[in-house]
Amino acid sequence: MAVPGGARRQPLLLLLLGLVHSASAMFMVEDGNGTTCIMANFSAGFQTNYNTKSGSKNVTFDLPSHAEVLNSSFCGKENASDSSLVIAFGKGHTLTLTFTRNATRYSVQKLSFVYNLSDTDFFPNASTKEVKNVSSVTDIMAEINKKYRCVSSNKIHMSSVTVTFHDTTLQAYLTNNTFSKEETRCEQDGHSPTVPPTPPHPSPTLAPEIPSVQKYNVSDTNGTCLLASMGLQLNITYEKTDNTTVTGVFNINPNKTNVNGSCAAQLVTLELWSQDNTHLVFQFGKNASSSQFFLKGIQLKMTLPNAKTPTFTATNSSLRALQASMGNSYRCNAEERIHVTEAFSVNIFKVWVQAFQVEGGKFGSVEECQLDENNMLIPIAVGGALAGLVLIVLIAYLIGRKRSHAGYQTI
């Protein structure tokens, strides 16, 4: 027999999930013949800041489930060239996923976001009404004729905006108007269950463990300009000497790394030199109008094992990550991935950082990352729901008891 009230538990669970992020939505792109070439099902959250007359303001919002696919989306010519999915919402906001492919796989080569500061629903009291455009490479890729699946959250930093995708399923260059039954899983979820047959050459080495957390300090004659505590892991996609493409994962070992850096009025630099010929540079900048510091650039030069081109270099000077108010510190216990180029990203573990204004060589007031705030929200929501259930059961019990007493009469 069905338990009374059992049907109510599912909406309650959906409510709890809704407190964490918005519901997923399906987006499709068709060609002129009505054939579907792109399908995507995901939810997304946006985090950015903008200027008001009273100062800088941080804002977070979700991609509405009623967002629409624009006609500017296209399939490409004969499914061979670049294709794109353009999603519109609000008053002039668009999120664009640009796909490209080669003989074996396809990828979201570029993610772009255009947002309109005159939209008071998302940006109340903005001091300017300009339209901004940001973009970044991504690590979203899958094998041809397989869907991309990522249950985990995937953060993509685009200058001043961070987009977080949740519970993502997508596929481009479709052949039968629907998702493939086979899938390629994202790195955040682990390896795909549909692993191709093992080639005759040696398999790549397993990914290293979570890197050790190390404290870093950059100072000059005027005092400390950077405090940082973090574990660092490098993800690099490259071609080996046998013409296979692999993604190598390399930890920065603090015990085998020399630290250097510099302090300047507008730029703070942290340089890490490893004994394995790895040179990693972090550059922090600041925004005078919003009184915030942020990670603006990452540079890498290292020697890769068994690579067709042994020396790997990458640089990006237009990042907007690890951001906090001047005099405060930024902290995130959750793992953060920063996409530097299409072939290179950095995983940062348990980061705690403060740049420029470091009073007394100690961290200032903490500004938590959005991932940590979401993780704190889950137990609060679950606890509140359980308390509500207990209260409902208690009220039902008291009502039932009162009704049972009302059935007796005094003689």
Side-chain angles (χ1 to χ4, degrees):
M1 186 179 75
V3 178
R8 299 190 188 101
R9 292 191 183 116
Q10 185 176 2
L12 177 61
L13 177 60
L14 293 175
L15 173 62
L16 293 178
L17 292 175
L19 291 174
V20 180
H21 56 77
S22 62
S24 297
M26 176 69 78
F27 307 101
M28 294 187 293
V29 179
E30 297 179 347
D31 63 15
N33 299 320
T35 302
T36 303
C37 64
I38 300 174
M39 291 180 65
N41 191 331
F42 59 83
S43 63
F46 299 82
Q47 181 180 8
T48 186
N49 66 80
Y50 64 98
N51 292 326
T52 68
K53 292 182 179 180
S54 58
S56 178
K57 181 177 181 179
N58 295 323
V59 64
T60 59
F61 52 88
D62 292 324
L63 178 68
S65 57
H66 59 268
E68 298 178 344
V69 177
L70 293 184
N71 292 333
S72 54
S73 304
F74 61 93
C75 293
K77 296 181 179 179
E78 298 181 354
N79 278 350
S81 61
D82 291 353
S83 57
S84 70
L85 167 63
V86 185
I87 302 170
F89 64 97
K91 300 175 182 177
H93 315 300
T94 58
L95 180 69
T96 302
L97 290 76
T98 302
F99 295 86
T100 189
R101 65 175 291 175
N102 56 27
T104 59
R105 65 182 181 179
Y106 65 92
S107 65
V108 179
Q109 183 184 38
K110 184 172 73 170
L111 181 71
S112 305
F113 181 50
V114 176
Y115 57 105
N116 181 10
L117 291 177
S118 66
D119 187 346
T120 56
D121 292 336
F122 292 94
F123 305 101
N125 303 316
S127 57
T128 64
K129 307 300 180 183
E130 61 184 316
V131 175
K132 293 196 171 185
N133 190 339
V134 294
S135 62
S136 173
V137 296
T138 82
D139 64 346
I140 299 175
M141 63 180 64
E143 297 175 67
I144 292 292
N145 297 326
K146 292 184 180 181
K147 63 187 176 187
Y148 169 87
R149 184 77 177 107
C150 194
V151 177
S152 304
S153 297
N154 184 9
K155 295 182 67 173
I156 298 177
H157 300 282
M158 301 186 297
S159 184
S160 58
V161 179
T162 298
V163 179
T164 305
F165 289 94
H166 307 279
D167 195 14
T168 303
T169 304
L170 61 81
Q171 187 172 352
Y173 309 101
L174 289 165
T175 57
N176 57 359
N177 287 329
T178 188
F179 285 126
S180 169
K181 293 182 179 179
E182 295 185 286
E183 63 184 25
T184 299
R185 296 300 288 263
C186 64
E187 291 184 9
Q188 292 88 336
D189 286 353
H191 296 290
S192 168
T194 56
V195 179
T198 305
H201 55 77
S203 300
T205 56
L206 295 176
E209 297 178 352
I210 294 176
S212 301
V213 174
Q214 176 68 7
K215 294 181 179 179
Y216 302 99
N217 182 309
V218 177
S219 303
D220 64 5
T221 55
N222 296 320
T224 301
C225 65
L226 179 70
L227 277 181
S229 176
M230 54 189 172
L232 298 171
Q233 190 176 77
L234 312 180
N235 304 277
I236 302 174
T237 301
Y238 63 98
E239 191 173 6
K240 298 178 67 176
T241 53
D242 58 4
N243 294 324
T244 60
T245 300
V246 298
T247 299
V249 183
F250 309 92
N251 285 347
I252 297 296
N253 186 346
N255 297 324
K256 297 181 180 180
T257 300
N258 296 320
V259 182
N260 202 346
S262 61
C263 303
Q266 300 296 326
L267 188 69
V268 170
T269 302
L270 172 66
E271 296 187 52
L272 305 178
W273 298 80
S274 297
Q275 295 178 8
D276 58 357
N277 293 324
T278 298
H279 181 210
L280 180 63
V281 180
F282 293 89
Q283 296 176 322
F284 291 85
K286 61 182 178 180
N287 187 327
S289 61
S290 62
S291 297
Q292 291 183 317
F293 72 86
F294 56 94
L295 176 64
K296 66 172 294 184
I298 294 180
Q299 301 173 12
L300 174 68
K301 182 178 181 180
M302 71 176 295
T303 302
L304 296 172
N306 303 318
K308 179 176 287 188
T309 305
T311 301
F312 177 87
T313 60
T315 183
N316 189 334
S317 300
S318 59
L319 301 173
R320 189 86 175 203
L322 313 186
Q323 182 173 275
S325 300
M326 298 290 288
N328 290 352
S329 60
Y330 174 92
R331 185 166 64 185
C332 195
N333 289 317
E335 175 188 349
E336 290 201 69
R337 170 169 292 192
I338 299 176
H339 300 278
V340 182
T341 66
E342 185 175 359
F344 171 48
S345 62
V346 181
N347 295 340
I348 304 182
F349 298 81
K350 297 185 180 299
V351 61
W352 193 5
V353 64
Q354 184 171 343
F356 295 101
Q357 296 180 11
V358 183
E359 298 295 334
K362 297 180 180 180
F363 286 114
S365 299
V366 173
E367 295 185 18
E368 300 283 353
C369 66
Q370 188 66 38
L371 283 174
D372 284 357
E373 291 179 358
N374 288 344
N375 291 338
M376 292 173 62
L377 182 60
I378 294 174
I380 293 174
V382 173
L386 291 177
L389 285 175
V390 171
L391 182 60
I392 291 171
V393 171
L394 180 59
I395 293 173
Y397 169 75
L398 293 175
I399 293 174
R401 185 177 179 185
K402 183 176 180 181
R403 286 179 177 175
S404 64
H405 281 294
Y408 294 95
Q409 295 182 2
T410 303
I411 298 176

